[in-house]
């Protein structure tokens, strides 16, 4: 059984999410004959196995807990981490804005802890392929454990390779290339070579300096559409009767996302009709410049 199966009675080996009346949550992997210990007493796994989601059970001290399978976004934020994870708000944007579809041929460079990998596998379905590349072996081992827990021991179409994607990539025709690495601009020649016409290049970067260098390198290469960059901010709301207001805390900046589409062979992207702002590429700027740009 894989955790992509989302219905039916709860079975041994599955993860469940227990929530108490104060909203405190525990992720528990079910095992027959065992119990989970809390400050409010022990919770028997046998009281959950064989039952549907959405039940309320009591601990040995009478404390109530709701029982559901964790949603994918709930699992990834609590998964064991080697590298930092791509948070759900950004993973959702990547799946939507990079147009990850069933059957797509996707490559991700920088698998991190397996968060985005899990979203990509579910989005491409059993007919798609996902090649994940992770340069650090210890991170890759963590990715294997996390993805196997979510998607089962042998997710169809998935390969995980330890190594530098720029040196060991095996895929020759890619529909989507996702870059989660410190220097994604170094992969632009690879993207120009391996992405199919109309394919999408997507980078996840944390800082404005990375963002600028990546975008300007894409422009300099000339074989991609004008890059689009954005970030996503997430804020919950407090809802109690007439007390309806934004929550006091929010998920602010985590990273910037950038996408661009591959042009057909021999074609150059249309230049922006609007001229750069004065000084944008002045004497203090030392990075890549758009193809054909002439400084005044």
């Amino acid at each position: 059984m894989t955790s992509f199966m989302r219905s039916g009675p709860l079975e041994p080996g599955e993860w469940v999410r227990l929530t108490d009346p104060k909203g405190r949550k525990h992720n528990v992997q079910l095992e027959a004959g065992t119990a989970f210990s809390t400050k409010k007493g022990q919770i028997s796994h046998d009281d959950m196995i064989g039952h549907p989601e959405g039940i309320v059970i009591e601990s040995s001290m009478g404390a109530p807990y709701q029982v559901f399978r964790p949603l994918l976004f709930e699992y990834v934020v609590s998964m064991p981490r080697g590298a930092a994870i791509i948070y759900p708000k950004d993973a959702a944007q990547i799946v939507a804005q990079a147009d990850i579809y069933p059957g797509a041929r996707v490559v991700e460079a920088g698998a991190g802890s397996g968060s985005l990998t899990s979203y990509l596998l579910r989005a491409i379905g059993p007919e798609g392929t996902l090649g994940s590349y992770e340069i650090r072996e210890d991170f890759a081992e963590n990715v294997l454990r996390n993805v196997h827990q979510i998607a089962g021991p042998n997710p169809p179409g998935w390969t995980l390779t330890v190594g530098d994607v720029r040196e060991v990539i095996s895929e020759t025709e890619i529909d989507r290339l996702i870059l989660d690495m410190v220097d994604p601009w170094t992969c632009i020649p690879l993207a120009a070579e391996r992405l199919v016409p109309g394919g999408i290049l997507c980078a996840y970067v944390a800082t404005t300096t990375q963002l600028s260098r990546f975008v300007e390198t894409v422009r300099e290469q000339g074989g991609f559409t004008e890059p689009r960059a954005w970030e996503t901010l997430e804020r919950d709301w407090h809802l109690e009767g007439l007390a309806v207001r934004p929550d006091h805390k929010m998920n602010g900046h985590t990273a910037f996302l950038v996408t661009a589409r591959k042009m057909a062979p021999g074609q150059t992207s249309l230049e922006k009709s609007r001229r750069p702002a004065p000084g944008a590429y002045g004497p203090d700027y030392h990075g890549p410049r758009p193809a054909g740009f002439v400084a005044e």
Side-chain angles (χ1 to χ4, degrees):
M1 175 174 182
T2 76
S3 293
F4 283 151
M5 298 173 63
R6 311 298 299 176
S7 62
L10 298 171
E11 298 180 9
E14 284 196 271
W15 286 86
V16 293
R17 193 169 177 87
L18 307 177
T19 308
D20 70 11
K22 291 188 177 180
R24 290 175 295 213
K25 298 174 175 62
H26 307 280
N27 287 343
V28 178
Q29 188 173 24
L30 295 177
E31 182 181 349
T34 62
F36 177 70
S37 296
T38 74
K39 293 181 179 179
K40 299 293 185 179
Q42 292 196 324
I43 301 171
S44 171
H45 290 203
D46 291 339
D47 289 344
M48 296 177 277
I49 293 172
H51 293 278
E53 297 180 75
I55 60 173
V56 175
I57 62 173
E58 291 188 351
S59 70
S60 58
M61 296 173 61
Y65 289 85
Q66 289 183 162
V67 182
F68 284 92
R69 289 183 176 93
L71 301 175
L72 182 54
F73 85 88
E74 293 173 326
Y75 182 82
V76 298
V77 296
S78 60
M79 63 170 43
R81 303 181 191 180
I85 67 166
I86 291 182
Y87 279 86
K89 70 184 183 69
D90 296 317
Q93 288 285 302
I94 291 171
V95 170
Q97 301 291 347
D99 195 39
I100 311 298
Y101 59 89
R105 298 166 296 181
V106 182
V107 168
E108 64 165 343
S113 292
S115 167
L116 181 62
T117 307
S118 303
Y119 285 102
L120 294 175
L121 281 172
R122 190 160 71 174
I124 64 174
E127 302 302 320
T129 61
L130 173 62
S132 301
Y133 291 83
E134 175 52 56
I135 200 166
R136 289 185 51 168
E137 187 170 358
D138 55 337
F139 286 178
E141 292 173 355
N142 196 48
V143 171
L144 276 175
R145 288 191 294 269
N146 287 333
V147 172
H148 286 171
Q149 184 58 59
I150 295 170
N154 296 297
W158 183 49
T159 57
L160 174 62
T161 303
V162 179
D164 189 327
V165 68
R166 294 158 291 199
E167 300 173 358
V168 301
I169 187 171
S170 59
E171 292 83 358
T172 56
E173 291 191 322
I174 304 169
D175 297 310
R176 307 289 185 260
L177 176 59
I178 316 297
L179 304 175
D180 176 16
M181 51 199 302
V182 173
D183 52 355
W185 50 87
T186 62
C187 285
I188 291 174
L190 171 65
E193 177 187 348
R194 304 293 178 102
L195 273 173
V196 300
I200 296 178
L201 172 64
C202 177
Y204 175 93
V205 295
T207 69
T208 55
T209 51
Q210 290 173 304
L211 175 65
S212 176
R213 186 165 181 180
F214 179 79
V215 167
E216 296 301 345
T217 306
V218 170
R219 288 173 175 156
E220 181 184 47
Q221 199 280 333
F224 293 88
T225 59
E226 174 66 15
R228 172 178 177 253
W230 74 99
E231 66 174 331
T232 302
L233 310 179
E234 181 183 11
R235 182 175 68 182
D236 286 346
W237 277 67
H238 174 90
L239 300 167
E240 290 181 348
L242 296 178
V244 179
R245 55 169 173 74
D247 206 343
H248 292 308
K249 59 184 179 179
M250 67 179 295
N251 292 323
H253 175 75
T254 48
F256 301 103
L257 292 171
V258 188
T259 55
R261 298 194 72 178
K262 173 76 180 301
M263 301 292 292
Q267 299 294 304
T268 302
S269 176
L270 296 177
E271 295 182 6
K272 294 178 65 175
S273 58
R274 181 177 61 82
R275 293 179 60 81
Y281 299 101
D284 294 329
Y285 176 77
H286 303 290
R289 300 174 186 273
F293 177 84
V294 178
E296 297 181 355

